[in-house]
Amino acid sequence: MFYLSETLNGISVVTGPGSFDLANNIAKSLQAELALASVRIFSDGESSMRLGKVRKNCIIVQSTHPPTDRHLMQLLMMTKKCVDDGAQDMCAVIPYLAYARQDRAFLEGEVVSIGLVAKLFETIGIKHIITVDIHSQLAMSYFQSIQNVSSVRMLADYATNMKLHDPIAVSPDTGGDNRAKEFARYLNIDSVSLKKSRHRLTGDVTIDESIDADVSNRDAVLIDDIISSGSSIIKAAQVLRKLGVGKIYAMCAHALLIQDAAEKIKSAGVHDIISTNSVPGEYSKVELSPEIISTLNTRY
Ligand code: R5P
């Protein structure tokens, strides 16, 4: 273990294609060296990586958003290079931790993939992980040393400047109830959770139209950990619109927004999408680096 404030000369902030801006902001704030891996993709899809010699303490920053397996492999490759260079301590900052949703066998015979991811990290020598809004406590339990940064306060801070009319925080499912309540507490507003179900084989989402709040003419902030296909937000927006809601906003930690999800969400009547920069992109408006640095400070 090293002490962040005393060892900045001995730290490399190592990054690859998954999180360049975030890593750069972390390195700048720490006044630490940024070690950028250069990556070529071969015709068969393999990554080939080059990285200069790193220092003895490495903070490896790489979100594992799509292309998920490629970013995961690149994270392992960066770690391997740090090990080969003789790094003594490696902490991985993985804002979007892929496979966290596969935290149990939902269907008979299903592999619990997050357990495998945890094993890979441990085997290669990652001593500690910092992630953001991990999908579940169960997913966290597979890791020996992990800290989860909540983005809820950061998203709520952003929302204070959104000029909302009589707002209500809405979780698309009961699993996100605590998130919506916490978000609402920061803003001193109401919250409600919708009742969502997802077909385990087809992935189809349905949301119950009866909800436990009056949303008519109120602006609704849909808050979720991940927006992936957009189905959850779209179905939630459809229900809210039927109930005469005002403007709808969608906020999340990880805006994966697969294919044309953002366009579909906007067509469903969502005014804007706001996420952290866990996944770089057009909607990544909330900067994670200050919170990640204070978390690094609690460890080192
Ligand atoms: C599910 O439990 C999560 O909290 C998200 O609601 C879900 O992952 C979003 O996925 P999609 O955008 O594909 O509906």
Side-chain angles (χ1 to χ4, degrees):
M1 182 175 291
F2 57 95
Y3 293 90
L4 196 53
S5 53
E6 292 164 16
T7 56
L8 290 179
N9 288 335
I11 296 179
S12 294
V13 176
V14 181
T15 195
S19 297
F20 174 74
D21 287 341
L22 177 63
N24 194 26
N25 292 342
I26 292 173
K28 269 193 193 148
S29 303
L30 293 177
Q31 296 180 305
E33 175 204 60
L34 181 71
L36 175 62
S38 85
V39 173
R40 272 174 64 207
I41 305 295
F42 289 141
S43 54
D44 63 355
E46 287 177 359
S47 299
S48 156
M49 178 175 287
R50 295 179 67 201
L51 178 60
K53 188 163 172 53
V54 298
R55 298 184 180 176
K56 68 177 181 176
N57 300 300
C58 295
I59 299 168
I60 305 163
V61 185
Q62 169 103 331
S63 220
T64 50
H65 54 86
T68 304
D69 291 347
R70 177 175 291 172
H71 283 146
L72 184 60
M73 184 63 185
Q74 291 168 353
L75 170 61
L76 296 173
M77 291 166 90
M78 284 186 270
T79 311
K80 168 83 167 64
K81 177 64 166 60
C82 297
V83 171
D84 291 349
D85 282 359
Q88 290 165 8
D89 194 8
M90 287 170 298
C91 166
V93 176
I94 315 169
Y96 175 67
L97 181 56
Y99 291 99
R101 285 183 287 182
Q102 295 187 39
D103 59 1
R104 66 200 84 187
F106 293 100
L107 298 171
E108 200 188 330
E110 210 168 41
V111 175
V112 182
S113 307
I114 195 64
L116 169 63
V117 170
K119 198 47 128 189
L120 284 171
F121 291 166
E122 195 185 311
T123 306
I124 201 154
I126 294 174
K127 295 232 172 67
H128 185 70
I129 291 159
I130 294 175
T131 189
V132 175
D133 284 19
I134 192 165
H135 182 66
S136 65
Q137 286 297 321
L138 182 59
M140 258 180 105
S141 70
Y142 292 93
F143 297 84
Q144 287 188 345
S145 179
I146 187 165
Q147 278 170 293
N148 182 46
V149 172
S150 167
S151 70
V152 174
R153 171 153 225 150
M154 294 175 260
L155 294 171
D157 282 347
Y158 187 96
T160 54
N161 295 317
M162 280 169 41
K163 297 193 172 64
L164 300 166
H165 170 70
D166 193 12
I168 179 162
V170 183
S171 169
D173 51 50
T174 50
D177 196 43
N178 285 340
R179 182 179 303 108
K181 281 190 175 135
E182 189 187 344
F183 180 85
R185 238 186 342 264
Y186 284 129
L187 295 175
N188 199 18
I189 63 175
D190 296 338
S191 71
V192 68
S193 291
L194 306 182
K195 295 171 197 87
K196 175 179 102 178
S197 51
R198 191 188 288 272
H199 193 284
R200 284 281 160 221
L201 289 175
T202 63
D204 287 349
V205 168
T206 45
I207 291 187
D208 203 304
E209 289 186 9
S210 70
I211 82 167
D212 302 327
D214 179 5
V215 294
S216 61
N217 297 315
R218 301 176 75 178
D219 290 350
V221 182
L222 282 161
I223 177 135
D224 211 343
D225 55 347
I226 304 168
I227 304 178
S228 183
S229 67
S231 304
S232 305
I233 294 294
I234 290 167
K235 292 283 172 180
Q238 287 166 350
V239 167
L240 292 172
R241 287 184 68 192
K242 276 192 189 164
L243 297 169
V245 78
K247 280 187 181 159
I248 305 172
Y249 296 85
M251 298 190 98
C252 68
H254 314 291
L256 302 179
L257 294 170
I258 306 302
Q259 293 170 355
D260 55 353
E263 286 68 36
K264 288 190 196 148
I265 288 170
K266 296 265 183 83
S267 308
V270 174
H271 195 70
D272 200 3
I273 305 167
I274 298 112
S275 80
T276 75
N277 62 343
S278 147
V279 180
E282 185 183 343
Y283 301 100
S284 314
K285 297 165 187 166
V286 176
E287 174 63 47
L288 286 171
S289 56
E291 208 54 44
I292 286 176
I293 288 164
S294 30
T295 308
L296 281 164
N297 273 312
T298 63
R299 176 172 187 247
Y300 296 116

PDB file of all heavy atoms in Angstrom, residues 129-146:
ATOM      1  N   ILE A 129      -9.977  -2.438  -6.445  1.00  0.00           N
ATOM      2  CA  ILE A 129     -10.792  -1.905  -7.547  1.00  0.00           C
ATOM      3  C   ILE A 129     -11.656  -0.767  -7.031  1.00  0.00           C
ATOM      4  O   ILE A 129     -12.215  -0.846  -5.939  1.00  0.00           O
ATOM      5  CB  ILE A 129     -11.681  -3.023  -8.134  1.00  0.00           C
ATOM      6  CG1 ILE A 129     -10.798  -4.043  -8.848  1.00  0.00           C
ATOM      7  CG2 ILE A 129     -12.729  -2.480  -9.104  1.00  0.00           C
ATOM      8  CD1 ILE A 129     -11.436  -5.371  -9.027  1.00  0.00           C
ATOM      9  N   ILE A 130     -11.744   0.283  -7.843  1.00  0.00           N
ATOM     10  CA  ILE A 130     -12.722   1.344  -7.567  1.00  0.00           C
ATOM     11  C   ILE A 130     -13.692   1.347  -8.737  1.00  0.00           C
ATOM     12  O   ILE A 130     -13.273   1.426  -9.906  1.00  0.00           O
ATOM     13  CB  ILE A 130     -12.040   2.719  -7.411  1.00  0.00           C
ATOM     14  CG1 ILE A 130     -11.157   2.713  -6.160  1.00  0.00           C
ATOM     15  CG2 ILE A 130     -13.086   3.833  -7.327  1.00  0.00           C
ATOM     16  CD1 ILE A 130     -10.342   3.981  -5.965  1.00  0.00           C
ATOM     17  N   THR A 131     -14.958   1.212  -8.441  1.00  0.00           N
ATOM     18  CA  THR A 131     -15.958   1.213  -9.498  1.00  0.00           C
ATOM     19  C   THR A 131     -17.040   2.232  -9.161  1.00  0.00           C
ATOM     20  O   THR A 131     -16.997   2.872  -8.110  1.00  0.00           O
ATOM     21  CB  THR A 131     -16.532  -0.210  -9.700  1.00  0.00           C
ATOM     22  OG1 THR A 131     -17.356  -0.224 -10.872  1.00  0.00           O
ATOM     23  CG2 THR A 131     -17.365  -0.671  -8.512  1.00  0.00           C
ATOM     24  N   VAL A 132     -17.974   2.404 -10.060  1.00  0.00           N
ATOM     25  CA  VAL A 132     -19.017   3.410  -9.865  1.00  0.00           C
ATOM     26  C   VAL A 132     -20.384   2.726  -9.999  1.00  0.00           C
ATOM     27  O   VAL A 132     -20.616   1.988 -10.977  1.00  0.00           O
ATOM     28  CB  VAL A 132     -18.890   4.540 -10.915  1.00  0.00           C
ATOM     29  CG1 VAL A 132     -20.047   5.536 -10.801  1.00  0.00           C
ATOM     30  CG2 VAL A 132     -17.557   5.261 -10.753  1.00  0.00           C
ATOM     31  N   ASP A 133     -21.251   2.990  -9.052  1.00  0.00           N
ATOM     32  CA  ASP A 133     -22.621   2.453  -9.089  1.00  0.00           C
ATOM     33  C   ASP A 133     -22.660   1.018  -9.598  1.00  0.00           C
ATOM     34  O   ASP A 133     -23.327   0.714 -10.604  1.00  0.00           O
ATOM     35  CB  ASP A 133     -23.527   3.344  -9.956  1.00  0.00           C
ATOM     36  CG  ASP A 133     -23.925   4.613  -9.236  1.00  0.00           C
ATOM     37  OD1 ASP A 133     -23.239   4.980  -8.259  1.00  0.00           O
ATOM     38  OD2 ASP A 133     -24.893   5.253  -9.655  1.00  0.00           O
ATOM     39  N   ILE A 134     -21.967   0.153  -8.907  1.00  0.00           N
ATOM     40  CA  ILE A 134     -21.990  -1.262  -9.290  1.00  0.00           C
ATOM     41  C   ILE A 134     -23.435  -1.762  -9.223  1.00  0.00           C
ATOM     42  O   ILE A 134     -24.223  -1.297  -8.398  1.00  0.00           O
ATOM     43  CB  ILE A 134     -21.039  -2.090  -8.408  1.00  0.00           C
ATOM     44  CG1 ILE A 134     -20.848  -3.492  -8.992  1.00  0.00           C
ATOM     45  CG2 ILE A 134     -21.511  -2.150  -6.965  1.00  0.00           C
ATOM     46  CD1 ILE A 134     -19.671  -4.254  -8.415  1.00  0.00           C
ATOM     47  N   HIS A 135     -23.761  -2.685 -10.088  1.00  0.00           N
ATOM     48  CA  HIS A 135     -25.169  -3.082 -10.236  1.00  0.00           C
ATOM     49  C   HIS A 135     -25.786  -3.613  -8.940  1.00  0.00           C
ATOM     50  O   HIS A 135     -26.961  -3.347  -8.672  1.00  0.00           O
ATOM     51  CB  HIS A 135     -25.284  -4.120 -11.358  1.00  0.00           C
ATOM     52  CG  HIS A 135     -26.683  -4.547 -11.601  1.00  0.00           C
ATOM     53  ND1 HIS A 135     -27.639  -3.676 -12.095  1.00  0.00           N
ATOM     54  CD2 HIS A 135     -27.314  -5.719 -11.375  1.00  0.00           C
ATOM     55  CE1 HIS A 135     -28.784  -4.317 -12.185  1.00  0.00           C
ATOM     56  NE2 HIS A 135     -28.614  -5.557 -11.747  1.00  0.00           N
ATOM     57  N   SER A 136     -25.019  -4.366  -8.151  1.00  0.00           N
ATOM     58  CA  SER A 136     -25.627  -4.948  -6.937  1.00  0.00           C
ATOM     59  C   SER A 136     -24.562  -5.244  -5.884  1.00  0.00           C
ATOM     60  O   SER A 136     -23.377  -5.386  -6.200  1.00  0.00           O
ATOM     61  CB  SER A 136     -26.331  -6.264  -7.287  1.00  0.00           C
ATOM     62  OG  SER A 136     -25.370  -7.216  -7.703  1.00  0.00           O
ATOM     63  N   GLN A 137     -25.010  -5.356  -4.662  1.00  0.00           N
ATOM     64  CA  GLN A 137     -24.131  -5.765  -3.556  1.00  0.00           C
ATOM     65  C   GLN A 137     -23.591  -7.162  -3.822  1.00  0.00           C
ATOM     66  O   GLN A 137     -22.455  -7.477  -3.499  1.00  0.00           O
ATOM     67  CB  GLN A 137     -24.922  -5.787  -2.239  1.00  0.00           C
ATOM     68  CG  GLN A 137     -25.222  -4.415  -1.676  1.00  0.00           C
ATOM     69  CD  GLN A 137     -23.952  -3.667  -1.304  1.00  0.00           C
ATOM     70  OE1 GLN A 137     -23.006  -4.258  -0.785  1.00  0.00           O
ATOM     71  NE2 GLN A 137     -23.901  -2.378  -1.585  1.00  0.00           N
ATOM     72  N   LEU A 138     -24.440  -7.986  -4.435  1.00  0.00           N
ATOM     73  CA  LEU A 138     -24.024  -9.357  -4.714  1.00  0.00           C
ATOM     74  C   LEU A 138     -22.830  -9.349  -5.674  1.00  0.00           C
ATOM     75  O   LEU A 138     -21.851 -10.073  -5.469  1.00  0.00           O
ATOM     76  CB  LEU A 138     -25.199 -10.149  -5.313  1.00  0.00           C
ATOM     77  CG  LEU A 138     -24.935 -11.615  -5.616  1.00  0.00           C
ATOM     78  CD1 LEU A 138     -24.511 -12.372  -4.348  1.00  0.00           C
ATOM     79  CD2 LEU A 138     -26.184 -12.272  -6.208  1.00  0.00           C
ATOM     80  N   ALA A 139     -22.893  -8.499  -6.700  1.00  0.00           N
ATOM     81  CA  ALA A 139     -21.774  -8.405  -7.650  1.00  0.00           C
ATOM     82  C   ALA A 139     -20.501  -7.999  -6.912  1.00  0.00           C
ATOM     83  O   ALA A 139     -19.412  -8.521  -7.164  1.00  0.00           O
ATOM     84  CB  ALA A 139     -22.100  -7.414  -8.758  1.00  0.00           C
ATOM     85  N   MET A 140     -20.636  -7.079  -5.970  1.00  0.00           N
ATOM     86  CA  MET A 140     -19.473  -6.609  -5.193  1.00  0.00           C
ATOM     87  C   MET A 140     -18.851  -7.727  -4.372  1.00  0.00           C
ATOM     88  O   MET A 140     -17.642  -7.761  -4.148  1.00  0.00           O
ATOM     89  CB  MET A 140     -19.907  -5.495  -4.239  1.00  0.00           C
ATOM     90  CG  MET A 140     -19.539  -4.132  -4.721  1.00  0.00           C
ATOM     91  SD  MET A 140     -20.074  -2.895  -3.566  1.00  0.00           S
ATOM     92  CE  MET A 140     -18.537  -2.443  -2.813  1.00  0.00           C
ATOM     93  N   SER A 141     -19.710  -8.637  -3.927  1.00  0.00           N
ATOM     94  CA  SER A 141     -19.245  -9.653  -2.979  1.00  0.00           C
ATOM     95  C   SER A 141     -18.230 -10.620  -3.596  1.00  0.00           C
ATOM     96  O   SER A 141     -17.569 -11.356  -2.885  1.00  0.00           O
ATOM     97  CB  SER A 141     -20.438 -10.427  -2.404  1.00  0.00           C
ATOM     98  OG  SER A 141     -21.008 -11.242  -3.412  1.00  0.00           O
ATOM     99  N   TYR A 142     -18.097 -10.615  -4.916  1.00  0.00           N
ATOM    100  CA  TYR A 142     -17.135 -11.530  -5.550  1.00  0.00           C
ATOM    101  C   TYR A 142     -15.697 -10.995  -5.480  1.00  0.00           C
ATOM    102  O   TYR A 142     -14.767 -11.708  -5.797  1.00  0.00           O
ATOM    103  CB  TYR A 142     -17.517 -11.769  -7.022  1.00  0.00           C
ATOM    104  CG  TYR A 142     -18.802 -12.553  -7.147  1.00  0.00           C
ATOM    105  CD1 TYR A 142     -20.021 -11.907  -7.266  1.00  0.00           C
ATOM    106  CD2 TYR A 142     -18.797 -13.945  -7.096  1.00  0.00           C
ATOM    107  CE1 TYR A 142     -21.212 -12.615  -7.353  1.00  0.00           C
ATOM    108  CE2 TYR A 142     -19.979 -14.669  -7.179  1.00  0.00           C
ATOM    109  CZ  TYR A 142     -21.181 -13.988  -7.309  1.00  0.00           C
ATOM    110  OH  TYR A 142     -22.345 -14.706  -7.387  1.00  0.00           O
ATOM    111  N   PHE A 143     -15.543  -9.722  -5.093  1.00  0.00           N
ATOM    112  CA  PHE A 143     -14.214  -9.096  -5.110  1.00  0.00           C
ATOM    113  C   PHE A 143     -13.658  -9.011  -3.695  1.00  0.00           C
ATOM    114  O   PHE A 143     -14.397  -8.693  -2.759  1.00  0.00           O
ATOM    115  CB  PHE A 143     -14.308  -7.694  -5.736  1.00  0.00           C
ATOM    116  CG  PHE A 143     -14.735  -7.720  -7.173  1.00  0.00           C
ATOM    117  CD1 PHE A 143     -16.075  -7.774  -7.527  1.00  0.00           C
ATOM    118  CD2 PHE A 143     -13.785  -7.741  -8.185  1.00  0.00           C
ATOM    119  CE1 PHE A 143     -16.469  -7.832  -8.851  1.00  0.00           C
ATOM    120  CE2 PHE A 143     -14.171  -7.804  -9.514  1.00  0.00           C
ATOM    121  CZ  PHE A 143     -15.510  -7.848  -9.852  1.00  0.00           C
ATOM    122  N   GLN A 144     -12.337  -9.239  -3.578  1.00  0.00           N
ATOM    123  CA  GLN A 144     -11.746  -9.192  -2.241  1.00  0.00           C
ATOM    124  C   GLN A 144     -11.614  -7.768  -1.720  1.00  0.00           C
ATOM    125  O   GLN A 144     -11.781  -7.499  -0.551  1.00  0.00           O
ATOM    126  CB  GLN A 144     -10.372  -9.853  -2.272  1.00  0.00           C
ATOM    127  CG  GLN A 144     -10.499 -11.357  -2.384  1.00  0.00           C
ATOM    128  CD  GLN A 144      -9.178 -12.068  -2.217  1.00  0.00           C
ATOM    129  OE1 GLN A 144      -8.120 -11.446  -2.297  1.00  0.00           O
ATOM    130  NE2 GLN A 144      -9.236 -13.370  -2.022  1.00  0.00           N
ATOM    131  N   SER A 145     -11.281  -6.834  -2.640  1.00  0.00           N
ATOM    132  CA  SER A 145     -11.067  -5.455  -2.211  1.00  0.00           C
ATOM    133  C   SER A 145     -11.637  -4.523  -3.281  1.00  0.00           C
ATOM    134  O   SER A 145     -11.087  -4.397  -4.369  1.00  0.00           O
ATOM    135  CB  SER A 145      -9.566  -5.220  -2.021  1.00  0.00           C
ATOM    136  OG  SER A 145      -9.340  -3.907  -1.634  1.00  0.00           O
ATOM    137  N   ILE A 146     -12.753  -3.910  -2.958  1.00  0.00           N
ATOM    138  CA  ILE A 146     -13.445  -3.071  -3.954  1.00  0.00           C
ATOM    139  C   ILE A 146     -14.151  -1.925  -3.241  1.00  0.00           C
ATOM    140  O   ILE A 146     -14.649  -2.100  -2.122  1.00  0.00           O
ATOM    141  CB  ILE A 146     -14.442  -3.932  -4.781  1.00  0.00           C
ATOM    142  CG1 ILE A 146     -15.050  -3.121  -5.934  1.00  0.00           C
ATOM    143  CG2 ILE A 146     -15.536  -4.547  -3.920  1.00  0.00           C
ATOM    144  CD1 ILE A 146     -15.746  -3.991  -6.992  1.00  0.00           C
TER     145      ILE A 146
END
